[in-house]
Amino acid sequence: MRENLIGAEMIAFAAACDAAATLDELNGIWRRRLVDAGFNFVALGVHADPLRPERTAYVFQNYPEEWVAHFSAQRYHLVDPVFRAAEAGAEEFVWTDPDFLQPLSWRQRRILNEAREFGLRHGRTHRLASILPFRASASLVTSEPDMPEEAYAAGKLINVIVHHRAAQLCIAAAPRFEELRRRERQCLELCAHGLVDADIARGLGLSVATVRRHIERARVRLRANTRIQAVARAIASGQIKPIA
C-alpha cells in the first residue's frame, strides 16, 4: 500500500514538472519537494557560475545567498571539487568520503571548508546525463549525516525528472541559428573534442587553412564571438553531438 502511494506521488510530481511552462516555475516545484523531504540545501543543474549561467543552461539551488555570492565572485565553479569529481566519472559520492577527499588540491579543500562555514556539510552528489552541452550534477545536503537511504533514492529520482524537464525548457528557449555545412559541422565537432587545427586537417584530409576557414564560417553562421562559443551553440542547436 505504501509503495503504491509513493508511486502515485512520484507520478503526480512528474506530471507537475511536465506542466511547468518556465524554469522559474519548475524551480519552485523542485525546491518545495526536496525541502519537504527533509533536505536543508539542494542544488541541481549545469556546472557553471550559479549567478551567470548560459542562456541555454540552468542552475537551481537554495544555498545561502552569501555563499552563492562568494562562490560566484571567486569563480569557484572553474575548480569546484564537487563539479570536478562528477566530471571525472563519479556517478555518486559523499562529500566526507575519503575516496572523494584524497585527490583534492589545497584550493579545492579550502572551498569545501568555506562551504562548511555556511552550513553545507553533509552533502551527497550524483551525476546527471549531459542532455545540454554542459556537464551537470545534483547535490542533496543535510544538517546531520543520518538521512535514510530511501530519502536519497527519492531525491535522486526527483532530480532526474526535473533535469529532463529543465533541459527541454532550455532547448525550447535556445535561439535558432543558420544551418551549418557538412565540413563546418565536422570541424567544429573535432574542435569540441580538443583537437587543434593541424590534427583536424590531418583527420579530414584538408589543409590547415581550409579547416580554419570552415571554423570561421561556422562561427559567423552561429553569430559567435569565439570558436568555443560556436561549439557550444552548435551543440545547443543540435547540429553537432554533445561532448561525452
Side-chain angles (χ1 to χ4, degrees):
M1 186 69 175
R2 180 59 180 169
E3 292 180 356
N4 291 337
L5 177 59
I6 293 174
E9 290 175 350
M10 197 60 72
I11 290 171
F13 173 78
C17 291
D18 284 341
T22 66
L23 287 172
D24 284 344
E25 183 181 353
L26 183 63
N27 186 4
I29 295 170
W30 166 79
R31 186 180 302 194
R32 287 191 299 272
R33 186 70 174 80
L34 287 180
V35 170
D36 288 346
F39 295 104
N40 300 84
F41 300 110
V42 288
L44 171 72
V46 303
H47 297 168
D49 184 333
L51 298 182
R52 301 174 184 84
E54 292 282 342
R55 180 180 175 183
T56 54
Y58 79 99
V59 177
F60 294 166
Q61 50 80 25
N62 72 338
Y63 287 175
E65 291 183 6
E66 296 87 350
W67 168 247
V68 174
H70 179 65
F71 186 96
S72 176
Q74 297 298 317
R75 297 177 61 80
Y76 280 168
H77 65 283
L78 298 176
V79 294
D80 181 75
V82 171
F83 290 171
R84 297 294 85 83
E87 291 170 5
E91 291 291 340
E92 187 170 352
F93 54 93
V94 178
W95 296 358
T96 54
D97 191 323
D99 289 339
F100 164 64
L101 295 172
Q102 191 276 329
L104 300 186
S105 68
W106 67 267
R107 190 180 184 195
Q108 290 175 321
R109 290 177 182 274
R110 187 180 72 183
I111 292 172
L112 284 180
N113 288 333
E114 291 177 359
R116 292 188 187 105
E117 295 176 6
F118 289 89
L120 300 169
R121 293 179 174 273
H122 302 289
R124 182 180 295 197
T125 297
H126 62 94
R127 190 171 59 168
L128 293 165
S130 298
I131 301 174
L132 299 169
F134 308 95
R135 304 293 178 85
S137 62
S139 295
L140 304 167
V141 186
T142 61
S143 57
E144 300 296 334
D146 56 355
M147 177 70 78
E149 284 298 319
E150 54 266 29
Y152 282 113
K156 186 175 180 179
L157 178 56
I158 287 167
N159 288 333
V160 170
I161 292 170
V162 173
H163 175 59
H164 180 76
R165 179 55 181 157
Q168 290 178 326
L169 292 171
C170 287
I171 292 170
R176 303 302 178 196
F177 298 112
E178 185 178 346
E179 186 174 351
L180 300 176
R181 305 291 174 81
R182 180 174 65 90
R183 284 299 194 190
E184 294 166 357
R185 289 197 305 272
Q186 289 175 332
C187 290
L188 274 191
E189 196 159 78
L190 292 172
C191 182
H193 286 82
L195 274 66
V196 299
D197 293 348
D199 293 334
I200 296 172
R202 280 193 293 271
L204 296 179
L206 305 172
S207 70
V208 173
T210 300
V211 167
R212 289 174 179 164
R213 189 163 58 249
H214 284 314
I215 292 177
E216 177 61 18
R217 287 175 177 171
R219 186 189 66 76
V220 172
R221 292 185 198 281
L222 296 168
R223 303 193 297 278
N225 295 321
T226 65
R227 63 170 58 190
I228 293 175
Q229 188 178 48
V231 167
R233 291 184 173 181
I235 295 174
S237 59
Q239 299 198 58
I240 66 175
K241 295 177 181 178
I243 302 170

